[in-house]
Amino acid sequence: MEFVAEVGVNHLGSEEKAISYCTKLAATEVDAVTLQIREESFYDESTSWKKSLHKDCYISCGEIIKSSGKLFGLAISDLAVAKSYINLAPDFWKVLSWGIKDLSLIEFLIATHIPVHISTGISDMAEIKSIADICDRRVGFIHTQLSSDIEDVNLSAIASMRSATGCDVSFGLHCENFDVINVAIPFAPCSIFFYVKEKPDFFYPDGSYAILLSDIDVMINSARQLAHSVGDGIKHKFVPKTLSDSDKPKSLR
């Protein structure tokens, strides 16, 4: 199970902040980092995070992440963006939820021979299975709900999606209760995607369900430790360990 940190547009349109995020994430326990590139119409500069970053910034971010031994991913939903940024040589693509309906985009990404993970935040099982069939199971899916309410998380869908599609299924955190990550572990997601932010008590477009940079390592190390408790599903005979005299309490020696 890998942990994927997503900057999204929480860099607030600042190239300096985008590079800072990647520099700090490169020093954490995450396995991969994604940067999001939206369609051209999104960048109308009506707010700070709707300001596009220069391609050189993405190149620098990719170099920082890759040089740390982590994977660098691009999160997109537009075919023109994919064609324009393919020379960044990402290690994987993430298709944002609404991109699942763009078969031309998905087919292009598959043709790059770079792993493709499709977010399913707006899709039901029928649509997800249809995409898996069309793509001949050459993609992975990310189970997520575009809701921050814990009642909507529906972690059981990880297993049912995997069974219905025959594809790898990851989990994307959109819930404000971060303990959901630990609850997801027994459902064996391929990866866990989560957004990140720099500061508490500050507005970010992907903020309420984003994990503080300073809390990432504690979260990941705890999740990895808890993952050992899942076991192999087989009930084994318990054989107590034999204590040496030096290990026994003094009262039992």
Side-chain angles (χ1 to χ4, degrees):
M1 182 174 61
E2 296 185 337
F3 291 85
V4 184
E6 302 202 80
V7 177
V9 289
N10 283 351
H11 51 63
L12 305 177
S14 166
E15 296 188 351
E16 181 180 354
K17 287 185 182 296
I19 290 174
S20 175
Y21 268 106
C22 291
T23 300
K24 292 175 180 177
L25 287 168
T28 68
E29 293 290 324
V30 302
D31 300 290
V33 176
T34 70
L35 287 176
Q36 187 178 114
I37 308 177
R38 296 291 302 274
E39 61 281 4
E40 185 177 351
S41 61
F42 176 83
Y43 297 111
D44 60 10
E45 301 194 6
S46 59
T47 58
S48 63
W49 63 87
K50 290 191 174 185
K51 179 181 178 181
S52 63
L53 306 181
H54 194 275
K55 185 177 285 188
D56 286 345
C57 178
Y58 289 109
I59 292 172
S60 296
C61 288
E63 289 174 347
I64 291 169
I65 297 303
K66 290 186 176 186
S67 65
S68 70
K70 305 180 190 305
L71 300 179
F72 173 62
L74 291 180
I76 63 172
S77 62
D78 184 78
L79 178 58
V81 169
K83 290 181 176 179
S84 179
Y85 286 87
I86 189 173
N87 61 346
L88 268 64
D91 296 301
F92 63 97
W93 301 100
K94 175 191 172 181
V95 178
L96 298 169
S97 293
W98 50 96
I100 195 172
K101 297 182 180 295
D102 190 342
L103 290 179
S104 59
L105 167 64
I106 295 173
E107 289 171 354
F108 175 82
L109 297 181
I110 291 173
T112 67
H113 302 292
I114 296 170
V116 179
H117 304 271
I118 303 175
S119 187
T120 61
I122 64 171
S123 304
D124 60 14
M125 188 67 78
E127 182 174 30
I128 294 165
K129 188 176 185 308
S130 174
I131 293 296
D133 291 341
I134 291 170
C135 297
D136 196 25
R137 290 154 185 81
R138 291 175 293 170
V139 298
F141 292 102
I142 304 170
H143 166 60
T144 189
Q145 299 288 100
L146 302 186
S147 166
S148 59
D149 296 336
I150 198 164
E151 294 84 2
D152 295 327
V153 176
N154 192 19
L155 290 171
S156 296
I158 296 172
S160 58
M161 284 170 58
R162 185 166 51 237
S163 176
T165 65
C167 298
D168 287 337
V169 178
S170 298
F171 172 60
L173 178 72
H174 264 259
C175 183
E176 296 178 358
N177 187 332
F178 302 155
D179 288 340
V180 166
I181 289 177
N182 291 334
V183 181
I185 292 172
F187 295 94
C190 179
S191 301
I192 292 180
F193 288 70
F194 59 94
Y195 284 90
V196 296
K197 61 183 179 182
E198 282 190 307
K199 304 174 184 177
D201 303 321
F202 187 89
F203 175 77
Y204 293 93
D206 292 304
S208 64
Y209 43 85
I211 294 176
L212 283 168
L213 291 173
S214 58
D215 293 341
I216 288 174
D217 282 353
V218 171
M219 179 275 290
I220 291 178
N221 288 330
S222 175
R224 286 178 173 156
Q225 182 180 38
L226 288 170
H228 292 297
S229 70
V230 176
D232 58 11
I234 301 171
K235 177 62 177 173
H236 298 278
K237 182 177 180 179
F238 177 69
V239 180
K241 293 180 180 178
T242 301
L243 297 177
S244 65
D245 284 343
S246 60
D247 291 327
K248 293 178 182 178
K250 289 182 180 179
S251 60
L252 298 179
R253 292 179 188 173

